[in-house]
Amino acid sequence: MEKLIFEKSVPGRKSHYLPSLDVPEKTIDELIPEKFQRKQDARLPELSELDVARHFVRLSVKNHHIVKGFYPLGSCTMKYNPVINEDQARLSGFRELHPLQPVEMVQGALELMYELQELLKEITGMVDVSLQPAAGAHGELTGLMMIRKYHELQGNPRKYVLIPDSAHGTNPASVTLAGYEAIQIPSDANGCVDLAKFKEHLNDDVAALMLTNPNTLGLFEEHILEITAALHDIGALAYMDGANLNALLGIARPGDMGFDVVHINLHKTFSTPHGGGGPGAGPVAVSDRLQDMLPVPVVEKQEDAYRLNWDRPKSIGKISSFWGNFSVLVRAYTYIRMHGSEGLRRVSENAIINANYLRTKLEKHFRLPYPGKCMHEFVATGEKLREYGLRTLDLAKRLLDYGMHAPTIYFPLIVREAMMIEPTETESKETLDAFADAVAQILLEAQENPDLLKEAPHSTPVARLDEVRAVKQLDINYFTNLEN
Ligand SMILES: *Cc1c(COP(=O)(O)O)cnc(C)c1O
């Protein structure tokens, strides 16, 4: 069969691989009930193209983003997103796809999905992958649903999922959504899972442990093999939150650590511009214990053709309206192929080197609750700002006046006045030095003129917003904003 997807597109020509559909024409009245039909012309803004272009450029520089400045938001992996990803995602053969096209017409897209699955299998050391989940949190729910199905099929449904106290908030939320009860496991003095406390909680009602590795303190869980083996001994499974995979590429694999399922935040590790809730993709990779439970349909290769296999009796079913967030998959595929295995390893090595460089510079200013080498990120405490009547939040806001985004603050919850700093591999030494200099300068300001920090930022279009109100009273109407 011909592969039409990669065919060169012809400018001005409509989708060249759609069949001519023999659909009878209908009038508007037949298609749309009268109550939904517009009675007068829509009030659309009348603007020239130049005005529109200027409007968006102006807006784009009002906000802070990775193309404008440093963005060391821990756990979020705000790395630079190569433009080539966007070029690939915009190829007309990809962009004009419709998820209801028959598989014969979308062989190129299925090939890309299949190849991406294979690459993610190699990167994670797991036996199979589903690309369907639309975000990390969605991957968590998918993974937990598979774990639930696994135990049910064993005739032994269980009640609890263990979660370390340093976990991301989505972990307990997903556990609850999946119908389990979360049990919190404390961290030890080194910032890793407290092994003795963990073992106290092991019993026949434990379905799984959910663990981030490296954890949200930027530390590699030292006893990982012992932990996953102890879980398997009681018939429980091991879930890895893979949001921090940026530290492990080509160095260590969840599959080799004994995990049964890991979600991968493609938008973090494999670069898609994200933030403000999307877009993302959170594929899950599984061990042979969970392979049969993967969501349907599964993308498979049969001789030279690709197909969607729905015939999987032990599957948890479908968890996405269609096949996944395809344009994010294209970006991740491009990023992985562009780097190759050597390049991906260098991504992680440089992410770790950058984090440790910045850590040693900032150690002079802030106490590190878990000192010593970190992986791709580290956590410091801004508690000494309290001496000047200030908080970590004030330093975070003042950084914006220096053209830099704040690190993640007040997370993880186990560190007071936490600052979680992830520089990523794409930043230069000059940028890291500039950040350390800005922090030093702000600490001087804190001593001399604390109000400067309290009222910061001074250089942005809006200063301190009530973020909760913005979410609860969402106002995205063009005209109300214009009139106000
Ligand atoms: C980002 C993140 C998540 C959630 O991923 P989303 O794609 O935002 O849903 C879960 N765990 C950790 C550790 C994360 O950093």
Side-chain angles (χ1 to χ4, degrees):
M1 193 195 35
E2 243 185 289
K3 287 198 194 112
L4 295 161
I5 298 293
F6 293 120
E7 209 182 83
K8 205 167 172 307
S9 75
V10 181
R13 202 166 89 181
K14 285 230 163 127
S15 188
H16 49 280
Y17 46 84
L18 278 175
S20 58
L21 297 174
D22 200 12
V23 183
E25 270 190 38
K26 287 190 174 177
T27 65
I28 288 287
D29 287 336
E30 285 170 317
L31 286 168
I32 302 173
E34 210 207 311
K35 66 175 173 181
F36 294 126
Q37 288 181 33
R38 180 175 285 142
K39 301 288 181 305
Q40 63 232 12
D41 286 347
R43 271 180 75 200
L44 296 177
E46 301 233 351
L47 297 163
S48 71
E49 180 176 332
L50 177 60
D51 286 336
V52 173
R54 283 183 180 154
H55 171 69
F56 283 110
V57 168
R58 263 198 310 266
L59 279 185
S60 76
V61 291
K62 277 186 177 165
N63 218 338
H64 189 90
H65 46 82
I66 190 74
V67 183
K68 189 173 158 188
F70 189 42
Y71 207 144
L73 205 57
S75 212
C76 295
T77 310
M78 304 301 277
K79 63 171 80 181
Y80 174 65
N81 302 285
V83 174
I84 189 174
N85 290 358
E86 306 306 309
D87 289 343
Q88 302 306 300
R90 269 199 296 263
L91 287 175
S92 67
F94 290 143
R95 193 185 60 217
E96 293 172 20
L97 285 175
H98 191 283
L100 291 178
Q101 277 173 261
V103 290
E104 294 76 24
M105 285 185 167
V106 294
Q107 285 290 301
L110 290 179
E111 179 175 3
L112 182 141
M113 291 170 77
Y114 180 83
E115 292 293 328
L116 179 58
Q117 288 174 184
E118 292 300 301
L119 292 165
L120 294 177
K121 274 155 68 172
E122 200 179 323
I123 289 166
T124 58
M126 308 296 269
V127 304
D128 217 340
V129 170
S130 169
L131 302 174
Q132 274 188 47
H138 194 197
E140 290 172 24
L141 180 63
T142 306
L144 289 160
M145 286 168 71
M146 288 191 277
I147 288 172
R148 170 168 282 282
K149 184 94 184 193
Y150 169 87
H151 288 302
E152 278 169 10
L153 289 173
Q154 304 259 316
N156 185 7
R158 298 178 176 215
K159 280 195 213 143
Y160 305 113
V161 173
L162 311 180
I163 306 181
D165 57 5
S166 59
H168 194 271
T170 49
N171 290 186
S174 301
V175 164
T176 308
L177 266 180
Y180 286 116
E181 208 173 301
I183 294 182
Q184 189 168 301
I185 307 293
S187 303
D188 64 15
N190 300 321
C192 291
V193 171
D194 185 324
L195 210 54
K197 295 267 166 46
F198 159 71
K199 287 186 175 164
E200 278 171 22
H201 281 97
L202 291 179
N203 62 56
D204 289 348
D205 266 331
V206 171
L209 166 77
M210 241 183 145
L211 191 65
T212 311
N213 197 23
N215 66 27
T216 59
L217 295 164
L219 305 171
F220 193 91
E221 289 288 344
E222 281 176 24
H223 303 292
I224 192 62
L225 294 176
E226 202 178 335
I227 290 171
T228 54
L231 289 164
H232 291 147
D233 280 348
I234 58 153
L237 299 181
Y239 185 109
M240 182 169 128
D241 177 329
N244 290 340
L245 202 63
N246 212 47
L248 301 181
L249 299 172
I251 299 172
R253 306 191 306 170
D256 302 332
M257 300 173 206
F259 283 103
D260 297 295
V261 50
V262 52
H263 81 254
I264 307 151
N265 299 60
L266 293 189
H267 45 293
K268 295 181 182 172
T269 313
F270 301 112
S271 71
T272 281
H274 59 283
V284 284
V286 294
S287 71
D288 49 9
R289 290 188 182 86
L290 292 178
Q291 189 175 18
D292 291 342
M293 288 85 207
L294 281 177
V296 282
V298 173
V299 180
E300 289 178 353
K301 184 177 181 180
Q302 259 185 352
E303 287 160 22
D304 272 346
Y306 299 89
R307 62 175 200 137
L308 296 171
N309 183 1
W310 293 83
D311 185 20
R312 310 259 301 193
K314 293 182 185 168
S315 163
I316 56 166
K318 202 155 175 311
I319 48 96
S320 198
S321 47
F322 290 109
W323 329 124
N325 202 348
F326 184 68
S327 76
V328 179
L329 306 182
V330 176
R331 289 175 176 93
Y333 177 81
T334 306
Y335 185 83
I336 293 171
R337 291 298 302 271
M338 193 175 68
H339 280 87
S341 49
E342 281 299 306
L344 286 182
R345 189 185 166 99
R346 274 206 304 279
V347 163
S348 285
E349 287 171 349
N350 286 335
I352 295 168
I353 290 167
N354 272 359
N356 280 287
Y357 178 74
L358 198 52
R359 177 181 60 78
T360 48
K361 294 209 97 175
L362 294 187
E363 242 169 11
K364 298 182 193 99
H365 306 299
F366 296 113
R367 190 173 72 81
L368 302 182
Y370 302 98
K373 287 202 190 72
C374 62
M375 296 291 284
H376 65 305
E377 64 191 358
F378 62 97
V379 177
T381 164
E383 65 197 353
K384 83 166 184 195
L385 288 160
R386 297 229 178 202
E387 291 166 25
Y388 319 115
L390 296 167
R391 302 194 61 197
T392 293
L393 176 73
D394 301 310
L395 174 115
K397 293 295 179 192
R398 182 65 179 145
L399 274 167
L400 283 168
D401 291 331
Y402 285 79
M404 296 172 191
H405 198 279
T408 294
I409 56 173
Y410 303 116
F411 178 76
L413 303 176
I414 54 176
V415 175
R416 281 182 64 209
E417 296 292 324
M419 276 182 278
M420 185 191 203
I421 305 171
E422 180 181 9
T424 82
E425 73 284 0
T426 46
E427 298 295 345
S428 65
K429 178 175 175 297
E430 288 73 21
T431 300
L432 303 183
D433 288 339
F435 180 73
D437 290 347
V439 167
Q441 189 61 36
I442 293 171
L443 285 176
L444 285 180
E445 291 171 354
Q447 293 170 41
E448 288 161 10
N449 183 7
D451 282 347
L452 191 61
L453 272 73
K454 254 188 206 150
E455 285 154 25
H458 303 275
S459 59
T460 52
V462 286
R464 300 210 182 183
L465 297 174
D466 180 345
E467 288 161 21
V468 178
R469 194 175 136 218
V471 173
K472 288 193 170 163
Q473 295 173 18
L474 193 64
D475 181 4
I476 50 172
N477 187 300
Y478 178 85
F479 287 103
T480 50
N481 284 329
L482 204 66
E483 281 152 16
N484 286 342

